[in-house]
């Protein structure tokens, strides 16, 4: 009897530890998506109202805690002489999932209106993706909690 209870508690503890690790990873991903969307919106606003150059904006975005390394990779590729669209794709190549695909589809070239349109589109897509992933996280938490409760009741 004691052995069964101890085994159940170990199983429950292991499942909880695994679930918390997955939730933490999902939350980091949500924060990254939020920061990327905010940085793109900020860049679009700076181009529209202050007529900032894209290179100066990329350098400023490099200071962001989560998204900064991606912008730093774009700038590093530009310093190697790669064109801006290719440097952009290369800089965001390490970003996996749908967020990475959205950012790699962005084409930061052309006139001001085209760049503004691209930045605004990508920011909107990332915001929508973040909302969808947040809903999935809530449902996963709800079903995991219900499953654990069911196990405890059995």
């Amino acid at each position: 009897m004691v052995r069964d209870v101890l085994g159940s508690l170990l199983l429950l503890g292991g499942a909880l530890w695994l679930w918390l690790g997955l939730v933490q990873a999902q939350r980091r991903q949500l924060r990254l998506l939020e920061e990327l969307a905010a940085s793109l919106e900020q860049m679009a606003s700076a181009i529209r109202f202050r007529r900032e150059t894209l290179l100066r904006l990329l350098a400023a975005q490099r200071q962001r805690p989560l998204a900064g390394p991606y912008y730093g990779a774009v700038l590093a590729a530009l310093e190697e002489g790669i064109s801006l669209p290719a440097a952009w794709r290369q800089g965001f190549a390490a970003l996996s999932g749908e967020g990475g695909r959205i950012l790699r589809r962005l084409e930061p070239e052309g006139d001001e209106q085209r760049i503004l349109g691209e930045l605004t589109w990508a920011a909107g897509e990332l915001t929508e993706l973040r909302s969808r992933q947040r809903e999935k996280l809530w449902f996963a938490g709800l079903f995991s909690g219900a499953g654990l409760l069911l196990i405890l009741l059995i």
Side-chain angles (χ1 to χ4, degrees):
M1 173 82 175
V2 172
R3 193 172 23 169
D4 291 341
V5 170
L6 185 60
S8 296
L9 287 176
L10 285 174
L11 182 63
L12 182 63
L16 185 62
W17 180 68
L18 180 64
W19 180 76
L20 288 174
L22 292 172
V23 166
Q24 188 177 27
Q26 283 291 327
R27 285 186 178 163
R28 269 194 309 270
Q29 181 72 14
L30 289 174
R31 284 193 308 270
L32 174 61
L33 290 173
E34 182 178 12
E35 190 171 291
L36 285 166
S39 69
L40 293 174
E41 289 170 355
Q42 183 182 21
M43 288 169 53
S45 177
I47 290 171
R48 181 179 294 121
F49 297 116
R50 292 184 306 204
R51 304 289 189 223
E52 294 274 345
T53 65
L54 198 53
L55 293 177
R56 182 179 292 161
L57 294 171
L58 287 171
Q61 298 304 326
R62 189 174 26 185
Q63 306 305 316
R64 290 185 174 270
L66 298 175
Y70 297 103
Y71 291 113
V74 172
L75 288 170
L78 286 171
E79 289 173 359
E80 293 175 5
I82 298 174
S83 69
L84 181 58
W88 185 273
R89 284 188 298 277
Q90 182 177 331
F92 287 100
L95 184 60
S96 63
E98 183 64 24
R101 283 190 289 278
I102 290 168
L103 287 168
R104 286 188 297 275
R105 279 194 314 234
L106 190 147
E107 292 288 332
E109 65 180 345
D111 64 353
E112 178 182 324
Q113 291 303 314
R114 186 174 190 296
I115 292 173
L116 285 173
E118 289 283 320
L119 292 173
T120 304
W121 167 81
E125 291 289 316
L126 289 174
T127 301
E128 184 180 317
L129 175 62
R130 182 181 176 275
S131 295
R132 286 193 314 262
Q133 286 188 350
R134 189 178 187 131
E135 287 175 8
K136 286 181 185 178
L137 185 62
W138 276 101
F139 284 125
L142 179 68
F143 288 125
S144 295
L148 287 175
L149 182 64
L150 185 65
I151 289 171
L152 286 175
L153 291 176
I154 292 176

